[in-house]
Amino acid sequence: MNPCEKPGRLYAGSRADSIWTEAQIAAFLAAAPRPVRLPFLLAIWTGQRQADILQLTWTAYDGRAIRLRQSKTGRHMLIPVAQPLREAMEEARARRKTLTICETSRGQPWTSDGFKTSFGKAQASAGIEGVTFHDLRGTAVTFLALAGCSVPEIAALTGHSLKDAEGILSKHYLGRDRRLGESAVAKLEKHGVGTPAVKRAVKRRGTEGGDSV
């Protein structure tokens, strides 16, 4: 069965645990050649699909944001560009040889198969297994949530519908990430539990010791 025939099932199945770790990202960026790194960074920082990233032209970038129309959904996107990505793009623009933002080492637009091959070689060189370029989209969603972004904020950047973004977060990614739990506990500790009266009572009982049994 073709999963593309039922969009609601795109995130069901074997990709549920396929999120790039920070260690894998660092290893890939250290091993990958420059022409492969830029599409990778665009995926991490924008959450867009490979096809849309490879088709981006310099006219879509104004130095602050990227405008694109998602080929799969037809959704028009305006994506602010974070500083780390902006630096990589400005470096690429200074040496550009083609109209597309992402280009091969020969200064030609990437083909889908050509990029897939080069990406696979870079991934193998970095010793990374079990994840794909497609998984960077879910990874971006996860990292945005870890950074404290709301579901509407995530959807505005990646182009997911609110329902799909919520589905990704609740069913596949965030519930499996220990850092979310740690973040939640840290916020709870900072905020405390309940009203000031409850907090004082909890603190007082803690200093008095437990009840005897």
Side-chain angles (χ1 to χ4, degrees):
M1 180 173 60
N2 183 358
C4 294
E5 294 177 354
K6 296 185 178 181
R9 295 180 59 84
L10 285 178
Y11 289 93
S14 62
R15 307 315 306 167
D17 296 317
S18 301
I19 297 296
W20 286 70
T21 66
E22 293 181 7
Q24 288 175 323
I25 292 171
F28 183 87
L29 291 174
R34 187 163 51 190
V36 178
R37 286 200 303 268
L38 184 56
F40 184 90
L41 288 172
L42 279 160
I44 285 289
W45 284 100
T46 71
Q48 301 305 305
R49 298 176 180 86
Q50 176 182 306
D52 293 329
I53 289 173
L54 297 183
Q55 292 172 7
L56 279 174
T57 64
W58 286 108
T59 58
Y61 173 61
D62 64 6
R64 294 176 297 177
I66 294 171
R67 295 178 182 271
L68 65 86
R69 181 177 182 272
Q70 291 186 326
S71 57
K72 186 171 184 178
T73 65
R75 188 172 289 116
H76 290 273
M77 304 294 300
L78 176 62
I79 307 170
V81 176
Q83 183 62 32
L85 177 57
R86 186 182 304 121
E87 292 175 356
M89 292 183 67
E90 292 299 334
E91 181 184 349
R93 179 152 63 174
R95 62 173 187 276
R96 64 179 176 177
K97 297 179 181 179
T98 185
L99 295 177
T100 55
I101 292 175
C102 299
E103 60 184 32
T104 69
S105 59
R106 297 182 179 181
Q108 298 296 319
W110 281 107
T111 64
S112 178
D113 288 343
F115 180 76
K116 182 178 180 180
T117 298
S118 294
F119 183 85
K121 290 179 179 179
Q123 188 171 342
S125 178
I128 298 171
E129 300 178 348
V131 286
T132 67
F133 190 93
H134 175 72
D135 295 323
L136 292 171
R137 185 159 160 81
T139 302
V141 171
T142 303
F143 284 0
L144 286 165
L146 288 169
C149 297
S150 66
V151 171
E153 287 172 331
I154 293 170
L157 185 72
T158 66
H160 288 93
S161 68
L162 294 177
K163 181 179 179 180
D164 286 346
E166 289 174 346
I168 293 169
L169 299 180
S170 64
K171 293 181 181 179
H172 300 292
Y173 297 115
L174 301 185
R176 305 172 188 269
D177 199 306
R178 177 179 177 180
R179 290 171 296 177
L180 277 182
E182 293 172 345
S183 174
V185 169
K187 290 179 179 178
L188 185 61
E189 288 179 340
K190 182 178 180 180
H191 176 73
V193 178
T195 65
V198 171
K199 295 175 185 178
R200 288 195 295 270
V202 171
K203 183 176 181 180
R204 182 169 62 251
R205 291 293 293 172
T207 59
E208 290 176 353
D211 293 331
S212 59
V213 292

